[in-house]
Amino acid sequence: MQLRRAHNLVCYWLDGSFVIQNYLSGTQLALAPGAAEILAAFTDWTSEDDAVAAFPDYDPESCRTAVRQLHDFGFLVAEDEGDRDGRLAEHWGTWSPEAAALHFSSKHAEYTESAEINDEFRAGKRSALFKNYPAADRILLPRVPPDLDAPFVRTLYGRRTHRSFHPAAVPLQQFAQLLAMVFGPSEFLNGQDFGALMKRTSAAGGSRHELEAYLGVFAVEGIAPGLYHYNVLEHSLELLDPHFTRERATHLCCDQSAVGDAAVSVFLTGVVERMSSKYRAPRAYRVMLTNVGHLGQTFALTATALGLGPFQTLAFRDAELEDALGVDGITETALYVLAAGLPDTSQQSDYAAELDAFQRALLYPTSDRADDPEGDRDG
């Protein structure tokens, strides 16, 4: 029988043991170092006899037993057992092993009520919901209620990713509204055993709100350029680095000029314990990634509604960015970068014309207008 090492294996040390995991099947096993050597002999299709012969210093029968056990556990696969791991290698190959291991191993993580029924969490032993820098200079921002009657459809379909920005400074009022509407609390709820829970305008798994916003401010009226942290509860900016520049922001985001050209860049991080203290299963990491996507979309739509041009990117130098923000990359890690500024309309297409054409197409499909080609004039 011809055997090959499964494509979807990862190895690591866990509690003093050398562990191998098949993240496609979820099988995990502590291995002796010799077993890892045997696995290495099955990079290509190999017979049991040929593998045993490759280890003349091993007891042949012990070696055969190890090969059969590795096959039984799914770490070696046979030609006639289908090619599920081969299909995974084909479709996830460029993302493996990091993303594939995360995606598939978290699929096997058992989700139980125990993730939320946590006595320590109920008793109040949980990480702080808000972060602040007590020694930082503060700029209290105006609380200006937004125009809730703004047409949502026009905002939704008018959203574009902007990479060119007008050099003029963003008015303070617009900037403050953007932060309050996207990152600030919309209300607080009584979470019973889980304490007071905050709501934002974006969905957030478990209402943990593990995401923090750091801002590179470059062109906002009344605010000196620099790197700030947004204090959610206080609706204020906390100055962290007055020397943070457009050039620095551009470099940190893999030299994307749009990040530095914008009036403000927003670096989103995740405070891991804020999520993991409630949700223990590794699948919760997916929730954190989904939450940052929710927040990014809310940012883009809100910026559009306020007349600003949004930008977003996942291309950044993780370690350098985390160092610039003053976070360790372990307890708090960089996840996403957003930016906004006054759009350079000379570089953009005619949004209004595009939107009007789209709305006419929705209201008057071609099949309904065949007999009245001018029937959309009043629409």
Side-chain angles (χ1 to χ4, degrees):
M1 178 172 59
Q2 296 287 305
L3 299 170
R4 170 180 52 73
R5 186 175 65 253
H7 291 306
N8 34 274
L9 303 181
V10 292
C11 300
Y12 47 87
W13 293 99
L14 180 65
D15 296 331
S17 297
F18 184 68
V19 173
I20 185 170
Q21 179 184 0
N22 182 323
Y23 54 79
L24 185 58
S25 66
T27 306
Q28 180 179 303
L29 187 69
L31 283 185
E37 291 184 60
I38 293 173
L39 275 173
F42 287 90
T43 299
D44 300 313
W45 293 110
T46 305
S47 70
E48 180 181 304
D49 290 338
D50 288 342
V52 170
F55 299 96
D57 296 335
Y58 285 15
D59 175 67
E61 196 54 38
S62 296
C63 192
R64 290 181 187 278
T65 299
V67 169
R68 291 165 188 169
Q69 288 178 339
L70 290 169
H71 177 224
D72 291 341
F73 280 107
F75 302 123
L76 293 173
V77 296
E79 287 181 301
D80 60 353
E81 292 175 341
D83 195 31
R84 189 164 180 248
D85 74 317
R87 287 187 289 111
L88 183 140
E90 176 185 356
H91 295 288
W92 286 73
T94 57
W95 288 0
S96 295
E98 296 86 356
L102 164 67
H103 184 79
F104 291 97
S105 61
S106 63
K107 289 179 71 172
H108 300 294
E110 183 178 359
Y111 185 82
T112 65
E113 291 294 325
S114 63
E116 290 194 57
I117 301 176
N118 178 340
D119 291 338
E120 289 186 349
F121 191 90
R122 289 179 184 275
K125 188 177 180 180
R126 45 185 177 263
S127 58
L129 187 59
F130 300 100
K131 183 175 182 178
N132 64 80
Y133 292 82
D137 292 336
R138 276 174 166 66
I139 300 172
L140 293 176
L141 302 173
R143 295 185 182 272
V144 183
D147 178 10
L148 298 180
D149 295 326
F152 176 71
V153 173
R154 184 167 291 275
T155 297
L156 187 64
Y157 289 98
R159 186 211 60 79
R160 297 291 189 279
T161 296
H162 290 251
R163 291 180 174 82
S164 297
F165 299 95
H166 195 281
V170 170
L172 178 60
Q173 177 173 308
Q174 283 178 282
F175 174 70
Q177 286 179 332
L178 177 66
L179 298 188
M181 294 170 68
V182 178
F183 305 113
S186 59
E187 63 177 301
F188 290 91
L189 304 174
N190 181 356
Q192 305 298 328
D193 290 341
F194 298 126
L197 300 178
M198 180 181 76
K199 288 186 67 177
R200 277 175 169 158
T201 53
S202 298
S207 198
R208 296 307 303 139
H209 298 290
E210 71 285 355
L211 305 175
E212 293 286 333
Y214 296 81
L215 297 97
V217 176
F218 308 120
V220 176
E221 291 179 355
I223 298 181
L227 178 67
Y228 296 83
H229 171 257
Y230 178 59
N231 184 316
V232 172
L233 186 60
E234 196 175 68
H235 186 49
S236 68
L237 298 182
E238 299 170 321
L239 179 62
L240 303 182
D241 181 1
H243 306 295
F244 190 79
T245 64
R246 293 179 184 272
E247 292 74 22
R248 181 72 171 142
T250 299
H251 169 75
L252 291 173
C253 294
C254 302
D255 303 310
Q256 297 177 88
S257 60
V259 178
D261 291 344
V264 57
S265 297
V266 184
F267 308 102
L268 295 181
T269 66
V271 179
V272 177
E273 187 187 8
R274 203 177 291 168
M275 175 66 74
S276 64
S277 61
K278 181 176 183 181
Y279 295 110
R280 306 293 180 90
R283 189 180 180 90
Y285 176 63
R286 290 187 182 191
V287 179
M288 188 163 70
L289 298 183
T290 303
N291 287 346
V292 81
H294 292 322
L295 207 60
Q297 179 70 338
T298 301
F299 177 89
L301 291 175
T302 305
T304 301
L306 293 172
L308 301 175
F311 172 80
Q312 55 281 320
T313 182
L314 280 169
F316 52 84
R317 307 178 199 274
D318 293 57
E320 288 188 56
L321 176 57
E322 288 162 351
D323 184 62
L325 300 180
V327 302
D328 62 9
I330 298 175
T331 60
E332 186 174 351
T333 183
L335 295 176
Y336 205 12
V337 177
L338 310 171
L342 296 174
D344 181 359
T345 55
S346 67
Q347 301 295 320
Q348 305 295 329
S349 58
D350 188 344
Y351 296 169
E354 290 181 7
L355 180 58
D356 288 342
F358 176 80
Q359 291 175 323
R360 285 197 299 271
L362 286 179
L363 294 171
Y364 303 101
T366 303
S367 59
D368 295 338
R369 299 167 59 200
D371 298 327
D372 185 11
E374 299 183 353
D376 62 342
R377 287 185 175 179
D378 295 331

